[in-house]
Amino acid sequence: MNVGRGDMHDDVDPREIAGLSHDLEMFGLEFEREAMTTRQDLWDGTGDEDPEVRDLLAALRPFSYRAELSIERRRTFLRRISAAAAVLLAAFSFYALLNNLPSSDPLPRKSRSDGSLLARAGLEVIVDASDQRPKRLVVGRLGFVDVDPGSKMRVLSAEANLHHLYLAEGSATATIGARARTFQIGTPAGMAVDLGCKYRVDVRKDGATSVVVVSGAISFETAGKKVWMPRGTTTVSIPGRGPGAPVWDGEVGDDYREALDTIEFSRTPSSEALAKVLRESRPKDGITIYHLLASSDETVRTASFERLEALCPPSAEVDLSSARRGDLAALERWRDEMTLRYWY
Amino acid sequence: MRRSTPELSTDIGAAEAPASSPEIDLAIRARDGDRMAFGRLWDRFAPVVHGILLTLVPSFEVQDMMQDVSLSALRAIDGLKDPRAIAGWFCTIARNRARDHWKSRRHGTIDRLAEDVVDPGPIEDVGDDRGSRILAVIRGMPETYREVLILRLVEGLSGPEIARLTDLTPGSVRVTLCRGMKILRELLVRENLA
């Protein structure tokens, strides 16, 4: 075999190579003899520098994983700054929302990738309305979010102890198995805080948000109001107004929901509407009446308390007088009892 | 300085799985749910996965696919039967992901070769700089050589590292490097890139 200049390392005894090569040829192992003559610098980067190998390594290094990683680290640094800015922007938008000020579109840029995506801070998912299927966003090991066509979502945070997404428009279904409160989807009308569940969020162009809980439970929150929603319930939240009391999805009529809206969001709650809701409620609808206990109107609070006590009488372990005064611990104890007895 | 005689082996294919190595230890811990161990394992194999993907798909697709492969590996690691086969396991995930890419795109030729290797056909993302052109030349070489050459010349892995991280014998890697370099040298001269 013709061995070219530099094909053998200087430090290797040529006689050793020749002897071994002869032995190998005797066994028909030309292949191995060739292997032995591979230049040392090409083999493991030791020995005398081979200009040809060094030239190729230098020319091709920019395409390596390590080169991309260093670029990605610089990008990550910039992305963190962007994420911080995004959080500030979201906080400002939320503040503006509460004060009925117009907010700017929080998702000006487009996403770029097909198929499922891994949630990372700063990632934006924009699914065209013409797309046939939802785009899946994988949220670490917690689960995934399917973002429907015509939707815009941004990942504000993707830390182990908090995954925070923002759905600006459209629909998304989250299937999450996480510790309570470690996964949240914000919308222009509030925040759905996961308590270990699957739920669907729809955001209209005007920011109005409807939430349906498929399994588990969520807490839908704004600065001034929080509703607790077990599986099977739904609510609508309007920007600047907050979420309404949850109702059982598909089980209550439109007139019931309209009456509920009147109780919760008109300046002077109608006594007819209140009577209708309380009269038509079943023990199961205690979930709806329970949320009326937080009404700012004393008449609504008092009537709701009496009806709830009749529909879903608490055990002796619930301090009713404390609950009547609005004591949160007593109310939650009662709620837990109702959950076990009527809502699951 | 006198060097030891290079390793000789009559086995030119897959290496016999070693009984123990840092990668195997990490694989066992990762399989048992140690996320830190998986992270360290990924750090070790990421250049290999990157190199394999770079061999098979356009370079602008590689970064996204790296995420896919890491996620697939993370999801599947608890089902790893033989931690000694961790190197081949990572390589197979990467090759399968590349194959899925071409299937989904219905682009190029999909040839199921030995060990699920796919032939992507002509590579289109050739830049104007010399490095891009050299990379395109390597990617146009026969399948046998391009993966090892990319792992050595692009990813900067040494021959022993390539052998350890791809389940090939050192002898096989040596021969492939030697022959591949000869072919590459001729091609670079022909393309005025030498």
Side-chain angles (χ1 to χ4, degrees):
Chain A
M1 188 181 82
N2 181 28
V3 179
R5 184 184 60 80
D7 276 353
M8 278 189 290
H9 194 273
D10 294 341
D11 291 341
V12 179
D13 186 345
R15 286 170 300 180
E16 184 183 349
I17 296 284
L20 283 168
S21 298
H22 174 72
D23 293 344
L24 291 166
E25 276 185 354
M26 283 185 66
F27 288 96
L29 296 175
E30 168 69 13
F31 192 80
E32 293 295 343
R33 190 168 69 99
E34 205 174 311
M36 285 182 55
T37 60
T38 302
R39 289 174 297 186
Q40 201 65 29
D41 195 24
L42 175 63
W43 173 238
D44 61 6
T46 63
D48 293 339
E49 282 193 4
D50 183 326
E52 185 184 39
V53 172
R54 295 288 140 180
D55 174 54
L56 288 170
L57 284 168
L60 295 169
R61 189 174 298 126
F63 303 97
S64 71
Y65 171 71
R66 290 189 177 97
E68 280 189 4
L69 196 63
S70 63
I71 293 170
E72 186 60 25
R73 280 180 181 149
R74 285 197 291 273
R75 281 184 187 150
T76 302
F77 175 72
L78 294 172
R79 211 179 280 140
R80 282 181 180 161
I81 292 176
S82 303
V87 169
L88 287 173
L89 179 64
F92 174 77
S93 300
F94 191 60
Y95 176 79
L97 197 70
L98 291 175
N99 289 279
N100 293 322
L101 298 173
S103 60
S104 58
D105 180 5
L107 292 171
R109 290 182 289 138
K110 281 194 168 184
S111 61
R112 61 185 174 85
S113 188
D114 297 331
S116 69
L117 302 166
L118 188 63
R120 56 182 190 272
L123 179 70
E124 294 168 346
V125 182
I126 299 178
V127 189
D128 288 341
S130 59
D131 285 4
Q132 298 296 311
R133 292 192 303 176
K135 184 160 285 189
R136 177 158 293 185
L137 185 63
V138 177
V139 186
R141 297 189 87 175
L142 303 185
F144 52 85
V145 178
D146 286 329
V147 185
D148 285 352
S151 303
K152 298 176 181 177
M153 177 168 271
R154 170 182 284 171
V155 180
L156 297 180
S157 165
E159 303 296 330
N161 57 355
L162 178 62
H163 279 76
H164 183 181
L165 313 183
Y166 183 85
L167 181 65
E169 188 180 318
S171 308
T173 303
T175 305
I176 298 295
R179 278 186 295 119
R181 310 196 72 82
T182 56
F183 176 82
Q184 305 175 351
I185 294 183
T187 79
M191 178 87 74
V193 180
D194 172 58
L195 304 176
C197 63
K198 175 175 179 174
Y199 58 98
R200 179 179 175 78
V201 183
D202 293 277
V203 180
R204 293 198 316 238
K205 294 272 185 194
D206 62 1
T209 302
S210 74
V211 183
V212 179
V213 182
V214 179
S215 68
I218 70 162
S219 173
F220 196 88
E221 303 172 2
T222 61
K225 195 170 182 184
K226 181 163 78 173
V227 298
W228 181 82
M229 303 173 62
R231 70 175 179 193
T233 58
T234 181
T235 190
V236 174
S237 183
I238 307 292
R241 188 183 89 168
V247 296
W248 293 100
D249 187 37
E251 294 188 23
V252 298
D254 289 343
D255 53 344
Y256 183 95
R257 296 180 79 147
E258 284 167 15
L260 195 59
D261 274 357
T262 306
I263 296 167
E264 290 192 281
F265 301 114
S266 63
R267 287 181 185 278
T268 50
S270 139
S271 55
E272 290 83 11
L274 179 61
K276 175 182 175 63
V277 167
L278 296 181
R279 185 177 62 247
E280 294 184 3
S281 290
R282 308 157 296 172
K284 192 178 181 183
D285 296 315
I287 183 70
T288 305
I289 300 176
Y290 173 80
H291 284 87
L292 295 181
L293 300 183
S295 170
S296 57
D297 187 288
E298 191 179 351
T299 307
V300 173
R301 278 202 313 274
T302 305
S304 299
F305 193 94
E306 288 172 0
R307 181 61 174 152
L308 188 63
E309 190 181 356
L311 283 172
C312 310
S315 74
E317 292 182 7
V318 175
D319 183 347
L320 260 186
S321 58
S322 295
R324 193 183 297 274
R325 288 197 307 272
D327 179 76
L328 194 59
L331 285 169
E332 287 187 347
R333 174 112 196 181
W334 192 3
R335 186 192 72 188
D336 291 344
E337 285 188 3
M338 289 186 278
T339 301
L340 293 173
R341 202 178 305 165
Y342 305 106
W343 303 340
Y344 278 104
Chain B
M1 188 182 75
R2 186 172 179 82
R3 290 184 186 283
S4 59
T5 307
E7 303 93 326
L8 295 175
S9 170
T10 53
D11 178 6
I12 60 169
E16 197 171 307
S20 177
S21 74
E23 288 81 20
I24 293 172
D25 295 341
L26 287 171
I28 292 169
R29 285 167 49 199
R31 185 184 62 181
D32 294 342
D34 184 340
R35 294 286 298 274
M36 293 289 285
F38 180 84
R40 290 173 62 192
L41 196 63
W42 175 249
D43 285 344
R44 285 169 185 257
F45 281 100
V48 176
V49 170
H50 189 270
I52 289 172
L53 292 174
L54 200 56
T55 306
L56 299 169
V57 300
S59 54
F60 60 83
E61 302 275 13
V62 170
Q63 205 175 0
D64 278 352
M65 282 197 195
M66 288 289 287
Q67 287 191 8
D68 294 344
V69 173
S70 68
L71 194 63
S72 299
L74 182 61
R75 283 173 172 164
I77 189 74
D78 57 357
L80 178 67
K81 288 177 183 166
D82 184 1
R84 291 175 304 167
I86 187 68
W89 187 78
F90 265 112
C91 294
T92 301
I93 291 176
R95 289 173 186 135
N96 286 345
R97 180 64 190 88
R99 185 186 62 200
D100 292 345
H101 166 80
W102 291 107
K103 272 185 180 173
S104 65
R105 296 296 172 92
R106 295 180 183 177
H107 183 277
T109 308
I110 302 172
D111 291 330
R112 192 180 177 96
L113 304 177
E115 297 180 358
D116 290 343
V117 175
V118 295
D119 184 348
I123 302 295
E124 296 166 355
D125 57 327
V126 180
D128 291 333
D129 61 294
R130 181 167 172 265
S132 296
R133 292 172 64 197
I134 294 173
L135 182 61
V137 168
I138 296 174
R139 283 154 49 133
M141 288 174 67
E143 172 71 37
T144 315
Y145 304 114
R146 63 181 179 222
E147 186 172 298
V148 170
L149 282 177
I150 282 181
L151 291 177
R152 177 69 189 97
L153 298 174
V154 177
E155 302 301 338
L157 299 172
S158 70
E161 286 175 324
I162 294 170
R164 196 179 76 243
L165 296 173
T166 59
D167 255 358
L168 293 171
T169 62
S172 172
V173 174
R174 259 183 188 274
V175 169
T176 308
L177 270 178
C178 177
R179 289 183 175 176
M181 270 303 290
K182 283 179 182 171
I183 297 170
L184 178 61
R185 195 178 298 129
E186 289 172 14
L187 292 172
L188 293 180
V189 169
R190 198 185 301 167
E191 299 289 328
N192 291 323
L193 290 167

